[in-house]
């Protein structure tokens, strides 16, 4: 390791369209050493090839619904890195049915899964990272505007993202005395795996580009560079915030 190099761990790499990949590339370019976690062996096949592109980056496997896997991966981080300075949580999931049927039909199990994977996992990884962030650090998660205004079909994910943004504030309060900052990036729609198969996603991208002040959709690299900023000392006074990277879409009333 280069003297003075900082280390970040990233959760949520599936493929080259993952926001986690755009963030990894920007952090790597900014000189960070990276540990990158993928959910299972199947996703690991593609993730490992990507990780190999980044100098000094290592791959780890972790299903965030499993407490023993979360505990194990942080043991591995501790063994490999000792101290870490950054954590990126780019993870979200709801059972596909929940994003198709009317919100009022949300099942108890669909609600549980969406909140377990998309919200509780941030608490779990923040707790895991805490003892490793001995010299302070930054935590960044990804959210979406559907947490605050109704986006048809986003449904239980909107409710989960509202909980995620509140979780960011409570974690920021808990971890602030340890000099650990916790923030969310509210990204505009991006065509990733999580967006595939969502009805009318192309129409959404078009409407977004039409209405946003910048008259275009957001580039994943712009989310990546914002994450790199939030993890850097340049953001040393920012915690508990949701920062919009959406070409200004959220400011519009009509
Ligand atoms: P993606 O599918 O590439 O990323 C989601 C990741 O979550 C995948 O890597 C998946 O493996 C991981 N994941 C799901 N269940 C998991 C589990 N049990 N354990 C560990 N990992 C698990 O899609 P993305 O668009 O890059 O999404 C990343 C984040 O960005 C999500 O939180 C998403 O809600 C958010 N977001 C996406 C958009 C968009 O338009 N794509 C916009 C705003 C916010
Ligand atoms: O957070 C997201 C994606 C969330 C997501 C997507 C899927 C599709 C595949 C969560 N779970 C699943 N489960 C699956 O089985 N976004 C912000 C992208 C997104 O998703 C939408 C959107 C937007 C924008 C769903 C409906 C409407 C708009």
């Amino acid at each position: 390791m280069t003297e003075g190099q900082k280390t970040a761990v990233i959760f949520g790499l599936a493929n080259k369209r993952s926001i986690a990949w755009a963030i990894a590339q920007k952090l790597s370019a900014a000189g960070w050493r990276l540990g990158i976690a993928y959910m299972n062996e199947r996703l690991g096949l593609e993730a490992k090839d990507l990780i190999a592109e980044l100098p000094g980056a290592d791959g780890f496997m972790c299903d965030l619904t499993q407490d023993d896997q979360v505990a194990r991966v942080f043991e591995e981080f501790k063994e490999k890195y000792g101290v870490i300075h950054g954590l990126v949580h780019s993870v979200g999931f709801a059972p596909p049915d929940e994003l198709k049927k009317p919100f009022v039909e949300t099942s108890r199990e669909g609600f549980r899964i969406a909140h377990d994977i998309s919200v509780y996992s941030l608490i779990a990884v923040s707790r895991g990272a805490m003892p490793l962030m001995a010299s302070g650090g930054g935590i960044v998660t990804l959210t979406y505007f559907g947490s605050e205004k109704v986006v048809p079909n986003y449904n239980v994910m909107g409710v989960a993202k509202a909980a995620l943004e509140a979780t960011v504030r409570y974690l920021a309060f808990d971890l602030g005395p340890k000099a650990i900052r916790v923030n969310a990036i509210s990204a505009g729609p991006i065509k990733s795996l999580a967006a595939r198969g969502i009805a009318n996603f192309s129409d959404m991208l078009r409407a977004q580009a039409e209405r946003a002040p910048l008259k275009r959709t957001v580039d994943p690299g712009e989310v990546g560079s914002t994450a790199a900023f939030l993890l850097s000392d340049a953001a040393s006074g920012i915690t508990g915030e949701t920062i919009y990277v959406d070409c200004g879409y959220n400011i519009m009333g009509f």
Side-chain angles (χ1 to χ4, degrees), residues 11-15 17-21 37-40 43 62-66 89-93 117-118 121 141-145 154 157 161 164 185-195 201 205:
F11 291 87
L13 179 63
N15 58 34
R17 290 193 155 180
S18 294
I19 294 173
W21 178 236
Y38 45 84
M39 179 183 172
N40 54 36
L43 293 171
C62 179
D63 181 336
L64 291 169
T65 62
Q66 305 301 314
H89 173 272
S90 185
V91 172
F93 181 81
I117 297 178
S118 313
S121 66
T141 187
L142 274 298
T143 187
Y144 175 61
F145 186 59
Y154 198 59
M157 277 305 297
K161 290 302 193 188
L164 180 72
I185 295 172
S186 186
I190 289 171
K191 218 165 194 155
S192 64
L193 182 66
F201 198 78
L205 289 175

Side-chain angles (χ1 to χ4, degrees), residues 6 34 57 69 76 79 82 118 135 155 159 162 166 182 184 196 207 228-229:
K6 287 184 172 182
L34 300 176
Q69 293 195 28
E76 293 172 359
E79 188 121 311
S118 313
S135 49
N155 294 1
V159 178
V182 189
R196 201 161 59 193
F229 161 68

Side-chain angles (χ1 to χ4, degrees), residues 126-150:
S126 297
R127 189 167 57 242
M130 207 168 40
L132 277 67
M133 289 185 165
S135 49
I139 297 175
V140 170
T141 187
L142 274 298
T143 187
Y144 175 61
F145 186 59
S147 65
E148 50 190 299
K149 294 285 186 280
V150 173

